Amino acid sequence: MTAIPDNLAGLSRIMAGLSGIGLAVYPLMVAATFLFPGHATDWMMFHQAHLGAALNAEVPFGLRLAALACEAAPTAFVLWALWSLRRLFLRYAAGDVFSNETLRLLNNVAVALFAQVVVGFAMQAPISLLLSWAAGHGHRSISLSLGSDDVFSLFLAGAVLVIARVMAVARRMADENESFV
């Protein structure tokens, strides 16, 4: 454990708290978007770009529920990222910056971000089919989209992964230098 400045420890605790709030709120927002689409959830301004206008109150509840089950897969990766971030920030606040566990948590964030984009992309096909199923033959659709948010998330995941690897190399170098003394 290393002594870290109070302002960094405080910021880490704030970020851990925000990550914890995200863990509680995010799945509720996703569920509400599918279960109560339209005016009941418009006030949240929670945007699921890949759903577009296909998700609305006219879609039968059972189909919205099945689409929500598909959306649970990418949501699980968001929750894993938030859980790992919360634990990572708590370790930072305690002064644990370069331990194996800390580096593993940082790596988990990168993997979760990457997996969320890939799985989210793959789940768009069944979700779009489910949401358009009630429209009947000739009006059903399967759609896929890859937007700038997805590309940004992939680059962010790559950056976090590289930072985790750089920190691991720095830790090994510090351990080697320490062993020479």
Side-chain angles (χ1 to χ4, degrees):
M1 299 275 182
T2 330
I4 62 170
D6 287 341
N7 61 345
L8 183 56
L11 182 59
S12 294
R13 282 190 288 279
I14 289 169
M15 291 304 296
L18 291 173
S19 299
I21 291 169
L23 273 167
V25 172
Y26 186 79
L28 295 175
M29 290 176 70
V30 170
T33 301
F34 281 88
L35 300 177
F36 312 106
H39 299 294
T41 55
D42 283 348
W43 65 270
M44 292 189 308
M45 293 188 289
F46 183 64
H47 184 60
Q48 296 273 50
H50 62 276
L51 298 176
L55 179 59
N56 59 61
E58 301 301 316
V59 175
F61 183 76
L63 292 173
R64 285 186 277 135
L65 197 57
L68 173 60
C70 293
E71 186 68 28
T75 298
F77 285 109
V78 171
L79 296 178
W80 182 33
L82 288 168
W83 175 258
S84 296
L85 276 173
R86 182 179 183 284
R87 292 184 55 215
L88 178 68
F89 287 128
L90 289 173
R91 292 182 86 80
Y92 285 166
D96 181 6
V97 178
F98 289 108
S99 71
N100 285 334
E101 177 64 11
T102 300
L103 297 175
R104 186 184 65 77
L105 288 168
L106 189 57
N107 191 68
N108 287 354
V109 172
V111 170
L113 288 172
F114 182 81
Q116 185 274 330
V117 172
V118 172
V119 171
F121 178 77
M123 286 295 107
Q124 289 178 34
I127 290 172
S128 61
L129 180 61
L130 287 163
L131 294 178
S132 65
W133 190 261
H137 182 70
H139 298 283
R140 295 179 185 130
S141 64
I142 295 177
S143 64
L144 296 170
S145 68
L146 187 65
S148 57
D149 290 347
D150 299 319
V151 173
F152 176 76
S153 292
L154 290 173
F155 277 107
L156 184 61
V160 172
L161 185 60
V162 168
I163 290 167
R165 301 290 162 85
V166 167
M167 289 177 68
V169 168
R171 179 174 178 254
R172 282 194 301 274
M173 291 172 68
D175 288 347
E176 287 175 13
N177 286 340
E178 200 173 285
S179 67
F180 287 123
V181 176

